[in-house]
Amino acid sequence: MIKRTGLIFVLSFMAACSPQATEPASAPEPVSTPDPVVQFDPDRLKAIADVFATEHGMMNLCGDEVPVRLTLFMAELGASTTPPELVSSLMAANDAKIEELQAAEPEYICTPEMFESREANSMAAQEEWNVMRGAE
């Protein structure tokens, strides 16, 4: 908004300083700049998706309530300017990770240490996603 206002001010100033035409000059068209396209780092997106998919699969395996972080992340990513093929590949990787965890032995996955690690990793991934998308 500030850039647009500054640009309009500069254009108005330049128009005021230019030689006057014999015909009445029409008001300058407002300059509209397109919204910037946000480019996310695909490697960071993959890392975040992997953490959320691990959390999802682990919570499924352990019989606990599954957090919605993965679902929200993928919905936000799908609604962004991220290329659809990248979103699709992340969805496939998520599904593979969740299936991998479904085949794991619960006694190795459903431990207090794994729950602590999962929570810390998920919170860090959520924080990174918030920063990447400008929500912080």
Side-chain angles (χ1 to χ4, degrees):
M1 181 69 180
I2 293 173
K3 289 181 182 178
R4 187 179 306 166
T5 306
L7 182 59
I8 291 172
F9 174 77
V10 169
L11 290 174
S12 298
F13 180 75
M14 288 173 52
C17 293
S18 66
Q20 295 298 319
T22 56
E23 300 176 28
S26 62
E29 292 289 320
V31 177
S32 78
T33 56
D35 291 331
V37 174
V38 177
Q39 295 292 328
F40 296 125
D41 178 1
D43 292 332
R44 294 309 313 144
L45 292 177
K46 289 175 187 171
I48 292 169
D50 186 64
V51 169
F52 291 157
T54 299
E55 175 184 53
H56 189 95
M58 180 182 169
M59 301 306 275
N60 253 350
L61 176 68
C62 299
D64 289 340
E65 186 176 327
V66 177
V68 296
R69 285 189 255 253
L70 177 63
T71 305
L72 291 175
F73 171 71
M74 292 308 297
E76 290 169 349
L77 201 57
S80 73
T81 58
T82 303
E85 57 275 1
L86 177 58
V87 175
S88 294
S89 74
L90 290 175
M91 290 173 78
N94 294 342
D95 291 343
K97 175 63 83 170
I98 292 168
E99 285 179 29
E100 175 187 327
L101 283 164
Q102 290 297 356
E105 295 294 326
E107 63 264 13
Y108 298 116
I109 304 297
C110 304
T111 65
E113 295 82 14
M114 291 292 280
F115 275 91
E116 285 179 25
S117 174
R118 177 213 45 93
E119 182 63 23
N121 290 340
S122 294
M123 294 302 290
Q126 183 66 56
E127 176 71 25
E128 183 173 3
W129 174 237
N130 290 344
V131 169
M132 284 177 73
R133 65 189 173 100
E136 295 253 325

